[in-house]
Amino acid sequence: MQTRTLGTTGPRTSAIGLGCMGMSALYGATDRAESIATIHAALEAGVTLLDTGDFYGMGHNELLINEALRTAPPAHREQALTSVKFGALRTVEGGFSGYDGRPEAVKNFAAYSLQRLGTGHIDIYRIARRDPAVPIEETVGAVAELVKAGHVRHIGLSEVGAHTIRRAASEAPVSDLQIEYSLISRGIEDEILPACRELGIGVTAYGVLSRGLISGNWSRERQLAPGDFRSMSPRFSGENLDRNLDLVESLRRIADGKGISVAQTAIAWVLSRGDDIVPLVGARTRRRLTESLSALDVTLDADDLDAIEQAVPAGSASGDRYPEAQMAHLDSEQRPQGEK
Ligand SMILES: NC(=O)c1ccc[n+]([C@@H]2O[C@H](COP(=O)([O-])OP(=O)(O)OC[C@H]3O[C@@H](n4cnc5c(N)ncnc54)[C@H](OP(=O)(O)O)[C@@H]3O)[C@@H](O)[C@H]2O)c1
């Protein structure tokens, strides 16, 4: 397995990480046995980074990772790194009701996550969305205290903009920013990625397949279960979906020419953007995992990259990457103003 280091202070990890969210939430029906088998197969293949959030299935995802690690061979278990997001507040009905980044809340979230994961420590801990009511320094400072106490190894950030990254990094060392980055979500390129590079912060990129949309495995006919994130996503609806799938067909022509799949092309493209970027793939089955890990064997030369750029130019996606209400929680999409 190829490896990459997350920033100047972060851990060395497999060049591709496994995002476990879809094994518990947001992408329709889940299969516990196949989820565990997928995590085991990933560890067996040398994947060391497992990404989760305490709110993915309200603890379900952490308990799933606990079971997978407990039943994995010790050598694989010992190599695994847990990357955990916290801060999202849930309702009994399963809704989302905001974020809490107060120091006492951070420590409370961590106490529950440590119990559910059963790993003794969390490798990278990050608030999922900045809490606008709490200065980022206070939230990051609380995670830094958890590091000091040995409960957490590294501090991460998620979906924050350059200004917040700078403030956070001035409080404590930050290993990586987790943020959406793909052929059709390139918003980080102007300011956020340069800021991370200047500060020695790595990137764990999620949505590299745009939640399946640019995997080559999506179709207009696909039926979505109630509650599937994609049934509310602007990019998966109406004419936006038609236009986005046209982009995928352009990409498919390039992939076919190289004898690889569209998903492999999209993941290899993210890998090609720099050694400081680690794509998280959201494979939920061993089949999808095998396909996505094969992206590590793909080389995209300058001609390939030019052809991909022409097929899917920056900014060519139709529709925002989140529904409007969720876009408002993305510090990464806001301009700094009147902040605390
Ligand atoms: N920080 C944040 O705000 C944030 C937000 C979202 C996610 N994340 C993290 O990032 C991880 C990855 O995000 P994501 O799940 O949206 O990523 P993704 O890899 O873009 O999408 C995953 C979806 O693509 C489909 N797919 C089709 N072909 C695939 C292939 N060859 N390999 C893998 N998946 C394929 C899968 O659905 P089917 O198998 O059903 O077709 C799967 O549900 C998450 O698990 C989570 O840990 C973080």
Side-chain angles (χ1 to χ4, degrees), residues 3 10 54 58 63 106 109 118 128 185 215 231 236-237 239 242 311 330:
T3 58
D54 60 10
M58 295 186 269
L63 291 169
V106 173
F109 286 126
S185 298
S215 65
S231 65
F236 284 82
S237 43
E239 288 176 7
D242 291 337
L330 298 176

Side-chain angles (χ1 to χ4, degrees), residues 220-232:
R220 288 176 178 81
E221 291 70 41
R222 180 136 162 190
Q223 297 294 316
L224 290 171
D228 190 312
F229 169 85
R230 295 164 296 199
S231 65
M232 296 160 282

Side-chain angles (χ1 to χ4, degrees), residues 69-146:
L69 291 177
R70 257 192 300 112
T71 54
H76 296 168
R77 184 165 63 232
E78 280 150 26
Q79 285 173 10
L81 299 168
T82 50
S83 158
V84 182
K85 288 179 292 304
F86 65 87
L89 301 175
R90 306 295 309 263
T91 65
V92 175
E93 291 74 26
F96 285 83
S97 58
Y99 294 90
D100 193 343
R102 292 170 304 138
E104 61 270 38
V106 173
K107 290 171 190 169
N108 175 71
F109 286 126
Y112 280 86
S113 281
L114 285 162
Q115 183 68 25
R116 281 187 295 254
L117 286 166
T119 45
H121 71 273
I122 294 166
D123 289 287
I124 313 172
Y125 202 43
R126 69 188 87 237
I127 190 159
R129 299 286 180 268
R130 183 182 164 187
D131 176 351
V134 178
I136 192 69
E137 292 84 352
E138 288 185 17
T139 303
V140 162
V143 183
E145 284 178 25
L146 290 168

Side-chain angles (χ1 to χ4, degrees), residues 134-251:
V134 178
I136 192 69
E137 292 84 352
E138 288 185 17
T139 303
V140 162
V143 183
E145 284 178 25
L146 290 168
V147 172
K148 224 183 208 166
H151 303 307
V152 168
R153 296 267 157 89
H154 302 280
I155 303 169
L157 295 170
S158 172
E159 282 291 356
V160 290
H163 184 68
T164 302
I165 295 168
R166 288 183 196 286
R167 284 179 54 180
S170 69
E171 179 69 25
V174 173
S175 69
D176 67 298
L177 168 70
Q178 188 172 116
I179 196 159
E180 185 164 359
Y181 187 45
S182 75
L183 269 167
I184 66 167
S185 298
R186 295 178 58 173
I188 71 170
E189 290 177 354
D190 290 345
E191 279 186 33
I192 293 176
L193 189 53
C196 286
R197 288 184 167 155
E198 181 197 320
L199 297 165
I201 296 172
V203 170
T204 42
Y206 76 84
V208 292
L209 297 177
S210 198
R211 303 165 184 275
L213 179 59
I214 60 165
S215 65
N217 299 317
W218 199 264
S219 74
R220 288 176 178 81
E221 291 70 41
R222 180 136 162 190
Q223 297 294 316
L224 290 171
D228 190 312
F229 169 85
R230 295 164 296 199
S231 65
M232 296 160 282
S233 164
R235 289 191 174 169
F236 284 82
S237 43
E239 288 176 7
N240 285 344
L241 178 62
D242 291 337
R243 283 197 285 268
N244 291 331
L245 287 178
D246 286 346
L247 295 174
V248 175
E249 288 318 301
S250 305
L251 198 57

Side-chain angles (χ1 to χ4, degrees), residues 23-66:
M23 298 175 182
S24 298
L26 295 170
Y27 293 158
T30 58
D31 176 336
R32 191 173 190 89
E34 183 57 30
S35 297
I36 301 262
T38 304
I39 296 173
H40 284 170
L43 294 171
E44 168 82 37
V47 171
T48 56
L49 183 64
L50 302 178
D51 188 71
T52 182
D54 60 10
F55 49 95
Y56 292 162
M58 295 186 269
H60 181 279
N61 208 235
E62 291 177 321
L63 291 169
L64 186 81
I65 289 175
N66 177 323

Side-chain angles (χ1 to χ4, degrees), residues 293-313:
L293 292 185
S294 303
L296 289 166
D297 303 324
V298 172
T299 306
L300 298 175
D301 63 21
D303 289 343
D304 295 326
L305 292 171
D306 279 352
I308 291 171
E309 189 69 41
Q310 282 184 31
V312 188

